[in-house]
Structure formats: structure tokens, C-alpha cells
Amino acid sequence: RAVAELAAHDPDGAYALAGANGWERRLERALRARRRRTRLTHPLVVEELAARGSFGVTELEVFADCSSIWLFDRIVSPRTIDAEVDARQRGSVAHSALSRFFGGLPKRVGTERIDAERLDETLAFLRECLEEAVAGVRLELTALERAELTGGLWLDLEASIRAEAELDSPLVPRRFEVSFGSDRSPQELQRGLDLGGFTITGKIDRIDVDPFSARGIVQDYKSGKTAHSAAQIDSELRLQIPLYLLVLRDLVGIEPLGGVYRALSGKREARGLLRAEAREDGVPGFSQNDYLDEEAFWGQVELAQGRARGLVERIRLGDVRHDPKSGECPDWCELFSMCRVARA
Ligand code: SF4
């Protein structure tokens, strides 16, 4: 290992040392590991990828982030031996709690949307939903770990519901965890979103509708602090909201007024794509920069479809590279030991 490291800045010295000790082949092998081709070439793998007909929307976003992340996170998918509550698990508990909460709100509190006048009983119900969701976690957690998970999520969810009470939206949360493109989806959504030659699958966290017309918005909860604005949806190659808008229109049968990412922590912003023409009548109160005129709004949806097609084409070809979208590997990506990207 020391000789291979030496080869990075003094190749002649490293080869001389290896030659003197009979380590030439071992050194060659160590150096080749970094030069290994990234493209998938095994005939069975290539055949399987080429035959794929459906793709998850979040899977495509991961591929857009870096195709090597897609390979190791989604395909190789190594797991730690000791299961632990990671960000993904935490997010899944938050989603489950919110789905129970909004689904049960009309029956339990007697209101369809969050009523600022009845916040105490609303929050008491939210707490019950959270505890039920935590009880459903299949990992073996100690009492302390469960209490930590509940306590941490409670801070986020309570603040998020309080923030939503202030929004005073005319829309009513109506459908939750709406899956499309799978056998478990409602029948009318099972075929998935057809983009020509393949279908998109996924799950919309929440659909809010206008109680007086077939219009509405999609919402996607983000357990972190980031809710992508209209501009960031484009620059960060996000696909969920633009493609969910098509699902809402073409599969659910509701005219989309917009779609937002709702961050559950940090400033708890709701940002996304909204139709400017529905600003006064349907979706008031969001960030000014996220209201787009019709051309820009549908242009972003069109762009997302084109990007999805390009990503699917690359997946079908096994076109894996070291290609983080910003051009540099982000600090949070810990896959370098598997993807074997050369690092400075
Ligand atoms: S370390 Fe870089 S190249 Fe490797 S998977 Fe992560 S982002 Fe991609």
C-alpha cells in the first residue's frame, strides 16, 4: 500500500522499489484499481438494463446526481451489519406520521385542513400519529433510541404543522402517499407515467385540492432543510415536482396549480413551481420567485421530461461514470472507496 501511494507522486521510485522486492505485479494491480472502467459491460447486466421498462423518479434523480452513486446506492446497495436509524429511516417515519395525521384529521379533529383555532387538539393528534409511526419501526431500538427518534421528529413536525396553520391555504389536503406505476398503486395509477418507451414510477407524498373544483397541488416532504425553488429545480436537475405535476394531470385527473417541496426542518420553507395565474385564486402565499407564467411553468415540466429520457437512455446503456453533477464530488458522498474515483 505504501509503494502504491508512493507511485502517485514518484512512479519511477515506486517501480524501482517494487522491482527490487518482486512486487511488480502487486503494484500494477493496485494502480489498475484506480483506472478501472466505470461503464457496465457484463452481458447479463447490460441485457437486463436495456430491457427495463420502468424507472423510479427518485432513482433518476440519484443518477443525475452522479451515475456512480446510482450504481452503488441503488444497484449494489450495501447495508451496514448493525441496522441504525439513518436519515432515510428518519424520513420514512416522518412521512408515515404525516400521512396518518392528515388522513385522520377530519375524523379526529373535525377539520379538513389545519385550523389555527384548534391547534392544541390538532397537535395532540399529531403526537399520537408520530408515536404510532415510531412504534412501527422494525429495527431493534433501545428505549433511549426510540425516545431520541420521537423527540427529534416531534420538534420538526410540530413546527411544520404550526407553520402550515399560519399559511391559511384555501386548498384541502386530500390524498397521501399516492403511489403510481406499481401493482400496489390504485388501479387507475398502476400504469405509471408514460414518457414514451418507458414509464415513471413513484409516490406523491400529498395532494391538496380545491374543494370547489378539480384543481390542486402536489407536495413532497423533505426531511432536511432544503426545499428547492423553481430556479433550483432546474439547476439541481430535480425531477420529482415537475413529473408529479404530470401525474396529477394525466393520471389523477386534477388540474395542477403547482407543486412544492416542503422542508420539515431549518426554515421549513415550501418552495417549488407554481402557476402565476392561480396566485390569487388557488395558491396564494408562496415565495414570489416560484410563481411562473404559463410558458415558464410548462417549460420546466417539458425540460424534466427530456432530462428523464436522457437519464433512462444512459441507464439502459449501463453508462456509469464518475460524473457528480457539480463537477466535483460532494463532501457528503462517502462512496469513493467503492466507486474508486481518483482523489487528490
Ligand atoms: S465519490 Fe464522487 S464519483 Fe464517487 S460516487 Fe460519490 S460523487 Fe460519484
Side-chain angles (χ1 to χ4, degrees):
R1 190 181 289 179
V3 177
E5 204 175 320
L6 178 66
H9 45 87
D10 180 8
D12 293 342
Y15 276 107
L17 200 56
N21 289 282
W23 296 337
E24 296 97 325
R25 286 185 56 207
R26 291 167 75 183
L27 175 60
E28 217 13 80
R29 213 167 45 232
L31 296 179
R32 238 190 356 253
R34 295 279 171 207
R35 295 197 295 265
R36 201 169 278 174
R37 279 188 312 223
T38 50
R39 193 182 181 97
L40 304 180
T41 52
H42 191 287
L44 285 178
V45 174
V46 172
E47 188 185 343
E48 194 170 307
L49 290 175
R52 279 189 63 185
S54 65
F55 299 83
V57 62
T58 50
E59 171 189 10
L60 295 185
E61 285 194 345
V62 170
F63 196 94
D65 285 341
C66 173
S67 50
S68 288
I69 297 183
W70 167 83
L71 174 64
F72 293 103
D73 191 53
R74 297 297 173 119
I75 306 297
V76 179
S77 193
R79 292 280 172 260
T80 49
I81 292 174
D82 293 323
E84 55 185 29
V85 180
D86 56 11
R88 200 176 290 183
Q89 177 77 54
R90 206 171 169 277
S92 140
V93 176
H95 280 65
S96 163
L98 286 168
S99 172
R100 286 164 198 261
F101 169 72
F102 280 108
L105 193 64
K107 193 163 172 212
R108 180 61 182 273
V109 183
T111 57
E112 281 204 291
R113 57 172 86 90
I114 296 168
D115 181 351
E117 304 284 312
R118 307 182 66 177
L119 210 46
D120 286 349
E121 54 187 311
T122 301
L123 290 174
F125 179 51
L126 175 67
R127 181 77 193 195
E128 279 175 36
C129 294
L130 173 60
E131 281 168 6
E132 281 171 23
V134 172
V137 172
R138 292 212 194 100
L139 299 179
E140 275 185 35
L141 300 179
T142 63
L144 181 62
E145 285 169 331
R146 268 185 205 279
E148 272 177 1
L149 179 62
T150 310
L153 285 173
W154 174 247
L155 290 178
D156 287 346
L157 297 188
E158 182 198 7
S160 172
I161 294 304
R162 284 185 186 278
E164 200 169 329
E166 285 169 19
L167 246 187
D168 200 22
S169 166
L171 302 180
V172 172
R174 213 21 96 63
R175 294 181 70 172
F176 313 96
E177 309 229 310
V178 183
S179 140
F180 58 94
S182 100
D183 295 346
R184 294 185 301 277
S185 309
Q187 194 159 14
E188 72 280 12
L189 306 181
Q190 283 183 4
R191 65 184 191 276
L193 179 66
D194 188 348
L195 289 190
F198 66 93
T199 54
I200 295 285
T201 66
K203 194 187 273 179
I204 300 173
D205 289 339
R206 175 173 149 188
I207 297 174
D208 291 12
V209 298
D210 178 347
F212 305 110
S213 68
R215 306 185 309 160
I217 64 169
V218 291
Q219 299 214 32
D220 188 71
Y221 296 122
K222 291 289 162 211
S223 40
K225 297 176 184 165
T226 311
H228 294 100
S229 64
Q232 287 169 326
I233 286 174
D234 179 22
S235 65
E236 296 291 313
L237 313 179
R238 297 301 85 186
L239 299 174
Q240 277 179 300
I241 289 298
L243 295 184
Y244 289 170
L245 292 171
L246 283 179
V247 174
L248 190 63
R249 186 189 71 184
D250 298 345
L251 297 183
V252 183
I254 290 177
E255 183 193 347
L257 301 180
V260 290
Y261 294 103
R262 185 175 284 281
L264 295 177
S265 54
K267 290 191 203 159
R268 301 187 175 83
E269 288 183 304
R271 302 293 307 264
L273 292 173
L274 297 145
R275 288 168 72 179
E277 64 174 35
R279 183 186 199 144
E280 303 306 330
D281 168 33
V283 281
F286 290 96
S287 174
Q288 185 165 337
N289 293 341
D290 292 342
Y291 290 101
L292 303 182
D293 64 30
E294 289 296 286
E295 195 181 335
F297 181 87
W298 293 110
Q300 285 242 33
V301 173
E302 192 67 37
L303 193 61
Q305 291 179 73
R307 283 180 174 151
R309 290 190 187 101
L311 294 166
V312 164
E313 199 177 313
R314 284 190 56 198
I315 290 178
R316 282 176 163 167
L317 292 170
D319 183 14
V320 172
R321 305 176 204 165
H322 294 139
D323 56 355
K325 73 176 171 220
S326 68
E328 284 185 18
C329 298
D331 293 341
W332 51 261
C333 184
E334 295 177 343
L335 293 171
F336 47 82
S337 60
M338 285 186 268
C339 77
R340 297 184 169 179
V341 65
R343 292 195 301 158

